[in-house]
Amino acid sequence: MDNLRIEGTKQTPEIDFDANTGILKLSGRSIPENTFEFFNPVLNWLDEFSAQAPDKVIAKINLEYFNTSSSKYILEILKRLKTVLKDDKDVLVEWYYEEDDEEMMETGEDYEDVSGLPFEIISIEEE
Amino acid sequence: MAKQSIYQNEIENLEQSKDFLKKSEYSKIELQMEFKKLVENYEELIDQVKIITKISDRLQRKLNKTNDALESSNIQLNDLNNQLNETIDQLTEAKIGRRAGTIVMIIVISLFIVSEVFIEPIIDDAFPDNFWVGLGLKLVVAILIKPGEDFTNKYMLKQARKKQLAESKAKEAAQPPKPKKRRAF
């Protein structure tokens, strides 16, 4: 299975999903004009990945800001990771936020509650 | 249309339920199953709406906070800019004042030399017994030093401000806004 790599822009996040290592990185800003167009290939890749995921999967999410429709797609990504967890695989979501970004920290906690996935909320220092 | 929506799955579920309603006959079990599915989908949709609304409101708050911080930074930046401009103006005035003083001094020395070498002999010839004429001429030159210095000062300051304005406009036009860099994992 091929890895999924999408360069980040001012409006779209950087995606670096490695099917072999099981490390899925999502970072940056997500305010695409057409969220469906951006996230649909990501969800399709995850559907394929769920069926052949390695024993350990780590999703590293480090978002600065995202719009409402992106929040729905993040939920969809987490739903797909839940199917991996149900297959008795080890899944961990590392949710990164900048140390003074209270909103992003709370958002991570909400996603943790709703997804039922194991989360690690990690504070990072601002540059 | 449904295939292009972020609510693709939810729309598909709804369509399935609508198709079920079109059936002319259905058993009690079928009806129960369909209703159960519909309730489950509805419950999931409500959960999604709740979480998305909560997150959306929170991120709006973050956006507002960022806007407020940006506005406050702009005000601070403007204040600092004004202070800087005032200091630059003072420095320019002092520099120009010194330069104007030097120019006026050179002119006065030149006038003194010209008057001593060329005009004084002519005056001495024309008014041999009246030394007041020569002295009066020197007095006029001395009186004109201060207004001459002020005029030169004002003129040079005006020119310097024009130059500064043109330079700052050119700088503003050349600088694009810098995007914020995000820290890596």
Side-chain angles (χ1 to χ4, degrees):
Chain A
M1 182 182 176
D2 288 340
N3 296 333
L4 180 68
R5 172 124 187 90
I6 302 170
E7 282 294 322
T9 67
K10 278 181 188 172
Q11 294 192 321
T12 57
E14 182 183 341
I15 304 258
D16 187 6
F17 288 0
D18 192 317
N20 300 317
T21 61
I23 293 176
L24 317 175
K25 288 182 185 173
L26 172 68
S27 60
R29 192 181 298 172
S30 183
I31 46 169
E33 278 182 29
N34 187 339
T35 35
F36 178 86
E37 205 174 275
F38 182 80
F39 280 104
N40 204 41
V42 177
L43 295 183
N44 289 338
W45 187 92
L46 280 169
D47 283 335
E48 200 185 331
F49 174 76
S50 319
Q52 46 188 289
D55 290 339
K56 192 173 172 64
V57 175
I58 302 175
K60 293 169 180 271
I61 303 174
N62 179 16
L63 291 167
E64 177 194 354
Y65 181 81
F66 51 88
N67 58 12
T68 308
S69 48
S70 295
S71 67
K72 157 80 172 154
Y73 279 107
I74 293 167
L75 212 53
E76 291 295 331
I77 289 171
L78 297 176
K79 267 163 81 178
R80 270 131 181 109
L81 292 177
K82 192 73 192 279
T83 62
V84 176
L85 187 77
K86 279 178 183 164
D87 287 343
D88 285 334
K89 305 272 172 71
D90 198 1
V91 178
L92 174 68
V93 179
E94 290 179 355
W95 183 271
Y96 294 86
Y97 69 96
E98 284 187 355
E99 59 185 349
D100 63 342
D101 194 347
E102 194 189 332
E103 286 81 12
M104 210 43 90
M105 183 197 72
E106 288 172 359
T107 301
E109 288 169 353
D110 280 341
Y111 276 127
E112 181 180 9
D113 288 344
V114 78
S115 68
L117 286 165
F119 262 62
E120 215 174 288
I121 314 271
I122 302 163
S123 157
I124 47 172
E125 277 178 32
E126 274 184 81
E127 249 181 3
Chain B
M1 184 66 190
K3 292 283 174 200
Q4 290 288 311
S5 168
I6 64 166
Y7 292 102
Q8 191 177 324
N9 290 336
E10 290 77 7
I11 291 169
E12 276 171 13
N13 290 337
L14 181 67
E15 290 302 326
Q16 278 172 19
S17 295
K18 278 181 177 173
D19 288 343
F20 180 80
L21 275 180
K22 281 177 195 162
K23 284 165 80 175
S24 54
E25 285 178 19
Y26 27 73
S27 67
K28 195 181 169 187
I29 302 243
E30 272 183 317
L31 193 64
Q32 264 184 335
M33 293 278 283
E34 188 57 36
F35 190 68
K36 186 175 176 277
K37 203 173 82 183
L38 197 64
V39 168
E40 281 170 0
N41 288 338
Y42 190 75
E43 194 175 17
E44 196 191 332
L45 195 62
I46 293 247
D47 285 345
Q48 277 189 23
V49 168
K50 272 156 73 178
I51 188 82
I52 289 169
T53 311
K54 198 174 170 188
I55 289 169
S56 179
D57 285 351
R58 188 182 295 123
L59 292 180
Q60 182 61 49
R61 194 175 77 204
K62 180 180 175 177
L63 204 63
N64 291 344
K65 271 164 83 175
T66 310
N67 273 338
D68 288 346
L70 209 63
E71 212 172 294
S72 156
S73 298
N74 261 342
I75 291 168
Q76 278 181 344
L77 210 63
N78 278 339
D79 285 348
L80 285 173
N81 204 25
N82 288 339
Q83 281 177 21
L84 190 71
N85 280 339
E86 277 171 24
T87 310
I88 289 172
D89 277 355
Q90 283 168 0
L91 279 171
T92 311
E93 276 176 33
K95 199 174 152 189
I96 285 170
R98 279 199 304 273
R99 203 181 293 166
T102 310
I103 290 170
V104 170
M105 197 54 72
I106 290 168
I107 292 170
V108 167
I109 290 167
S110 308
L111 279 175
F112 181 77
I113 292 166
V114 168
S115 108
E116 279 297 313
V117 176
F118 301 106
I119 302 171
E120 197 73 30
I122 297 167
I123 290 171
D124 282 346
D125 286 345
F127 310 98
D129 298 326
N130 197 347
F131 88 103
W132 289 108
V133 178
L135 193 66
L137 188 71
K138 287 188 183 91
L139 204 64
V140 168
V141 172
I143 287 168
L144 283 175
I145 289 175
K146 187 62 189 158
E149 192 182 340
D150 288 348
F151 174 79
T152 314
N153 204 2
K154 272 183 192 166
Y155 175 77
M156 287 175 77
L157 211 57
K158 210 173 157 184
Q159 292 301 111
R161 278 189 182 139
K162 267 187 193 172
K163 198 181 161 189
Q164 266 179 10
L165 199 68
E167 276 174 2
S168 65
K169 273 184 183 172
K171 252 186 204 171
E172 265 176 39
Q175 275 181 349
K178 280 184 183 173
K180 191 187 168 191
K181 209 180 164 190
R182 184 120 185 110
R183 189 189 168 93
F185 286 108

